[in-house]
Amino acid sequence: MFDKVAKLLSDNRGIEIDKITPTSTFADLGLDSLDVVDLLMVFEDEFKVTIELNDNIKTVGDVANLIQSLKK
C-alpha cells in the first residue's frame, strides 16, 4: 500500500518518489495543511475509502497503514 500512496503523492505534488519514505512527514516533503487535505481527497477517490483527518496521521506510512486498515 505504501508504494501506491507514494506514487500518488509523487504524481500529484511533483515530489521525487525516491524522497518519499514511510517515515516522511508531510512537512518534510514541503506540504502544508491544505496540500494534505487535497491529497487525502485524492487518496479517498483512488482507494474508495473515507479518511478522517486527525493527529494520528503524521507520516506517509501513517496514511498507507490507515488506508490498508480501511480496505479490510
Side-chain angles (χ1 to χ4, degrees):
M1 183 60 65
F2 168 76
D3 291 337
K4 290 180 184 179
V5 170
K7 173 96 171 83
L8 281 171
L9 179 56
S10 175
D11 290 349
N12 279 275
R13 293 292 175 236
I15 300 168
E16 293 179 39
I17 199 156
D18 62 339
K19 295 191 185 300
I20 303 170
T21 68
T23 58
S24 297
T25 67
F26 296 107
D28 291 343
L29 299 172
L31 304 176
D32 64 22
S33 58
L34 291 177
D35 292 327
V36 173
V37 170
D38 287 343
L39 277 170
L40 291 181
M41 289 191 295
V42 169
F43 297 147
E44 286 179 335
D45 289 345
E46 178 70 22
F47 297 110
K48 309 293 186 246
V49 296
T50 300
I51 300 171
E52 298 290 330
L53 185 58
N54 62 48
D55 292 337
N56 295 329
I57 300 175
K58 296 185 187 317
T59 67
V60 177
D62 292 341
V63 172
N65 291 336
L66 177 61
I67 292 169
Q68 185 67 42
S69 72
L70 293 171
K71 296 290 287 177
K72 291 182 180 178

